[in-house]
Amino acid sequence: VYAGRLEEAQKRVGALLHMSRELDSRGVCHELVLVGDGPASAMVRERARAMGSVTVLSPLPPDRVLALFGAADLTVLASRHEGLSVSVLEAMSRGCVPVITRTDSGASELVEDGVSGLLVEVPEDADDAGAGAAMAAAVRRAAGGLGALSRGAHARATQMFSTTVQLNALESLLD
C-alpha cells in the first residue's frame, strides 16, 4: 500500500508502478494499492489500467486507510526526500512493514533497517525504472521475514510515538 500525494518530483510514484512491473516479471504475486490524489493522478491511473496488479483509489477517510494498512503486508514509499511520514508511521502502528527509500530526512529515522522495515538505497537522481527495480528487490527481501519485520515495525512505532510517549515528552517540555 502507498498512501499519499500522487506526484513525481518528491514522491516518485512512477517508480512504484515500475516496482510492480518488476515484481510481475519475476513472478512475484502481489497487489499494489495506491491511495491518494495529486498532480500525477492522471498518469498513474492511465498506466495502472494496463496493470492487473495495481489498484488506484481516490483519497479515503483515515479509518479506511488504517484498515488497508492493517490488511496489508507492506507499505512502500519511493520518495527522493521525505519528512516524518505520517502514513508510514500509521502503517507501522498496524504492523504493516515499511519498504522505503533511505533519505537524509525523517522517514528514514522511523525505520531500523532489517528490524522494523527496509531502507532501500536509491540515488535521488535515479530514474523511475531504476528506483522501481531497487524497490522490487527490497519487497522480495522483505517477503522472507514478514513476521519479524511486522512485529519490529509495530514495536518501533509504539516505542517512539505512542500516546504515552508523546504525553511524557510534552510533560517534560512543559516542566
Side-chain angles (χ1 to χ4, degrees):
V1 174
Y2 166 84
R5 194 166 22 115
L6 300 180
E7 71 89 45
E8 278 296 304
Q10 175 189 351
K11 301 291 188 177
R12 199 174 10 205
V13 294
L16 299 178
L17 299 174
H18 282 277
M19 175 193 75
S20 182
R21 280 192 196 105
E22 179 74 15
L23 292 169
D24 282 339
S25 75
R26 296 193 180 276
V28 177
C29 182
H30 72 284
E31 180 183 3
L32 173 62
V33 178
L34 303 164
V35 181
D37 202 0
S41 292
M43 175 273 293
V44 167
R45 290 177 193 288
E46 180 180 323
R47 290 183 186 173
R49 273 194 280 278
M51 301 175 71
S53 301
V54 179
T55 302
V56 183
L57 302 175
S58 295
L60 296 172
D63 62 322
R64 299 239 350 251
V65 174
L66 290 174
L68 283 174
F69 286 142
D73 293 320
L74 305 170
T75 186
V76 290
L77 184 65
S79 296
R80 289 179 172 85
H81 50 90
E82 186 72 44
L84 181 67
S85 172
V86 174
S87 70
V88 169
L89 181 57
E90 289 174 335
M92 291 172 71
S93 76
R94 298 299 189 262
C96 186
V97 176
V99 175
I100 65 174
T101 50
R102 185 184 301 273
T103 64
D104 292 332
S105 53
S108 293
E109 294 174 19
L110 286 174
V111 175
E112 185 178 356
D113 191 38
V115 175
S116 59
L118 293 181
L119 295 174
V120 184
E121 300 294 339
V122 178
E124 188 174 324
D125 61 349
D127 66 6
D128 282 351
M135 292 292 292
V139 164
R140 291 192 315 272
R141 280 195 322 272
L146 279 176
L149 288 170
S150 176
R151 289 186 298 277
H154 181 265
R156 184 134 171 118
T158 302
Q159 291 164 357
M160 294 178 72
F161 294 98
S162 71
T163 303
T164 302
V165 169
Q166 296 304 304
L167 287 174
N168 289 340
L170 178 60
E171 182 179 33
S172 176
L173 180 66
L174 293 174
D175 282 346

